[in-house]
Amino acid sequence: MNDDPAPRGPVLDDGQFRRLAAYGEEEHAVAGRDLYASGDDSYDFFLLVGATVDIVRDATAIEPERLIYQGGPGDFLGELNLLTGQHVYLTARVVSAGTVVRIGAAMLRRALAEQVDIADILVEAFRERREVIGAAAGNALQLVGRPDAADTLDLRTYVTQMLLPHSWLDAASDPGRSLMRLAGLGEDELPAAMVNRTVLRRATPRSVAEVLGLTYRADGRPVDLVVVGAGPAGLAAAVYGASEGLVTVLLDRTGLGGQAAKSARIENYLGFPHGISGENLTRLAMVQALKFGVRIHSPCAVTGLDLSDDRRPAVLLEDGARIQCRAVIAATGAHYRRLDIPRWTNFERTGCIRYAATELDARGYENQPVTVVGGANSAGQAALSLAAHGATVNLIIRGARIGSRMSSYLTDRIQAHPRIRVHTRSMVRELAGDDTLTSIVAERSGGRQDRLDCRALFCFIGADPVSGWLTGVAKDTDGFVLTDSRLPAGSPGKPLPFETTAPRIFAVGDLRSGSTKRVATAVGDGASAVSSVHAALASD
């Protein structure tokens, strides 16, 4: 085994190494050969029998080539992009000739399915390597922009959710200005991304995903199940579907985790006595889904359904592509509501209005006054998270009591926290400031108005269902999708649990009419709907 300090993490014992080698083909690797190189569309998994290989990050505009780690006999090469399909961003160069075992993508998936102990080791190693390599190889994807701009925050949130190794540079910093000068970037072209020497001006999650190979690409394999929406319900449906043998594709318009990913801390989710952030819960679910072979594509916008074939529905994508499958689980949830206040859009564009209070969102507001609007758990979690980061928080609640829609464990902490001031029976009426927010006006039910200092407003006032793409499916008056017992009278046949008015189209999570808006309930919906999918497919 190689003794060099390398991000190897979990290792295979001799027996596991031999069992895994049976899935591949031996070949001789000569010194100087690249087993794979930065920019390749894909690569194979390698077991190192006798060869020694350097893993290097190519030179960038501002840094020379860098050795990330060295693998020797007994090691294996690969990390999370073997499962995500992301384009290669590191080069594997043979430095000492020897035998290697090459295992292609299909055989690696087979090994992960058949060899449970090996699968656990590989997936954990891939995850750990992504974290360690990400810190060392972040310059393979460089982002530069203004930290308070909404489009910059959207881009940084996306690459963080997707566990993409990257480095971030503030456009106002010396390194940021240096990168902009070398790349010929102007202020009006931010945010920008540099990927394998390609410069993306006014970069978006979509443009970055396209360059990295994370958007949907048909590969010829038949698809059993398409899950649309990658919040807790969708991730659970994908995990259970793939783990039970269904070829599963997971699509999401923006990123992973849905509204749950924006929760600073979830403390009443079973199995996490110390709580867990929505972001970390999403990461764990993503790795679990990849382990079972789920093909995840994001951002990938779905625009409609083709229901002309009762047994083979098709999901229609924004770019004109279609994915024909045997069943669809809709889990697109809901999007946040906005307050009808003058200049809301302006401050939203400059990043002063936000709909999440993650670690990334809270940065920069230490010792600053902020406002949280909303009376449910998400607002309470945001207020506590921001206060924990040192912000002074005004919590604006329209109702008469803080505890009417918020869990008691949150209300107790909020009322005892010296940095949080609660304003009940209140509404935000005015936003003030030039390009950045400086204050708000809160109006009480009796008409009294208070001007409160404010550098950012975090809005959690409910959401509307994202159901417009579900053509040919019955919905209630608010746009939530009707399923099973809630279907209109006279609907044909006996619907399965979570089934809509369209055969083999199921709806789960916050999207479903009558659902309970809780993470655990959404996960249960997603898992349970897969049982209905199996029942529907049994007639094929």
Side-chain angles (χ1 to χ4, degrees), residues 143 370 446 460 471:
L143 307 178
V370 300
F460 301 89
T471 50

Side-chain angles (χ1 to χ4, degrees), residues 91-168:
T91 295
R93 185 169 300 139
V94 179
V95 293
S96 294
T99 301
V100 299
V101 176
R102 180 192 294 269
I103 303 177
M107 292 304 291
L108 180 62
R109 284 194 296 269
R110 179 178 169 185
L112 292 176
E114 295 177 352
Q115 307 292 336
V116 177
D117 58 332
I118 292 175
D120 288 342
I121 290 171
L122 293 187
V123 171
E124 181 61 19
F126 292 166
R127 186 190 65 80
E128 289 187 12
R129 288 180 179 186
R130 173 56 65 94
E131 293 180 358
V132 175
I133 290 172
N139 285 0
L141 167 60
Q142 296 173 295
L143 307 178
V144 60
R146 293 177 290 271
D148 56 351
D151 48 5
T152 299
L153 184 62
D154 287 344
L155 185 59
R156 294 182 69 190
T157 298
Y158 169 73
V159 298
T160 301
Q161 285 182 348
M162 297 298 288
L163 304 180
L164 301 178
H166 68 282
S167 62
W168 153 251

Side-chain angles (χ1 to χ4, degrees), residues 137-486:
N139 285 0
L141 167 60
Q142 296 173 295
L143 307 178
V144 60
R146 293 177 290 271
D148 56 351
D151 48 5
T152 299
L153 184 62
D154 287 344
L155 185 59
R156 294 182 69 190
T157 298
Y158 169 73
V159 298
T160 301
Q161 285 182 348
M162 297 298 288
L163 304 180
L164 301 178
H166 68 282
S167 62
W168 153 251
L169 298 174
D170 187 333
S173 68
D174 289 340
R177 286 193 293 266
S178 176
L179 179 63
M180 290 176 64
R181 187 167 53 253
L182 289 169
L185 289 166
E187 288 283 341
D188 61 341
E189 296 176 311
L190 300 177
M194 293 188 67
V195 187
N196 296 328
R197 298 188 178 88
T198 298
V199 179
L200 302 177
R201 304 170 193 275
R202 301 182 190 89
T204 64
R206 173 80 187 184
S207 64
V208 170
E210 287 175 345
V211 171
L212 295 178
L214 295 174
T215 51
Y216 177 75
R217 294 166 290 167
D219 61 6
R221 285 195 296 160
V223 176
D224 294 318
L225 174 64
V226 174
V227 181
V228 184
L235 283 164
V239 166
Y240 276 83
S243 68
E244 294 173 9
L246 299 176
V247 177
T248 303
V249 172
L250 176 62
L251 310 173
D252 195 279
R253 176 182 290 269
T254 55
L256 302 187
Q259 292 190 51
K262 303 180 187 302
S263 294
R265 193 171 185 83
I266 303 169
E267 295 202 50
N268 56 356
Y269 190 65
L270 187 67
F272 294 91
H274 302 296
I276 185 171
S277 71
E279 188 175 8
N280 284 337
L281 183 64
T282 298
R283 289 182 178 185
L284 293 171
M286 173 186 173
V287 173
Q288 192 174 20
L290 293 171
K291 171 186 175 181
F292 290 116
V294 177
R295 293 149 59 191
I296 300 175
H297 302 286
S298 176
C300 187
V302 175
T303 58
L305 295 170
D306 181 350
L307 304 176
S308 57
D309 185 338
D310 286 351
R311 292 177 176 270
R312 299 286 294 175
V315 173
L316 309 179
L317 307 186
E318 189 175 53
D319 63 3
R322 55 187 284 129
I323 308 174
Q324 196 158 35
C325 56
R326 300 170 68 200
V328 176
I329 294 180
T332 41
H335 57 73
Y336 289 108
R337 292 175 183 154
R338 292 163 166 78
L339 291 174
D340 186 15
I341 301 175
R343 305 187 66 199
W344 183 271
T345 303
N346 294 343
F347 287 117
E348 192 177 49
R349 189 179 301 114
T350 60
C352 296
I353 293 176
R354 305 191 176 189
Y355 302 91
T358 64
E359 182 76 22
L360 190 60
D361 291 278
R363 289 178 191 169
Y365 293 108
E366 299 84 357
N367 301 315
Q368 297 289 324
V370 300
T371 300
V372 175
V373 182
N377 280 4
S378 56
Q381 291 160 351
L384 287 167
S385 175
L386 289 160
H389 280 81
T392 302
V393 182
N394 285 300
L395 177 58
I396 309 296
I397 298 174
R398 187 170 58 179
R401 293 188 311 107
I402 185 176
S404 59
R405 294 194 301 126
M406 192 181 296
S407 298
S408 60
Y409 78 90
L410 290 172
T411 61
D412 292 344
R413 293 181 189 177
I414 287 170
Q415 290 172 325
H417 204 294
R419 287 184 172 272
I420 302 177
R421 181 184 174 192
V422 179
H423 305 258
T424 56
R425 301 179 186 271
S426 299
M427 299 177 67
V428 177
R429 291 300 190 190
E430 181 185 324
L431 306 172
D434 295 326
D435 291 336
T436 59
L437 189 62
T438 58
S439 67
I440 67 157
V441 171
E443 181 178 278
R444 299 186 183 183
S445 58
R448 172 181 165 181
Q449 293 189 341
D450 297 314
R451 183 170 293 277
L452 307 172
D453 289 341
C454 179
R455 300 297 176 268
L457 186 149
F458 296 80
C459 187
F460 301 89
I461 58 169
D464 297 312
V466 182
S467 60
W469 64 277
L470 280 161
T471 50
V473 171
K475 303 157 193 170
D476 66 17
T477 54
D478 293 319
F480 291 93
V481 178
L482 299 171
T483 60
D484 48 77
S485 63
R486 290 177 175 263

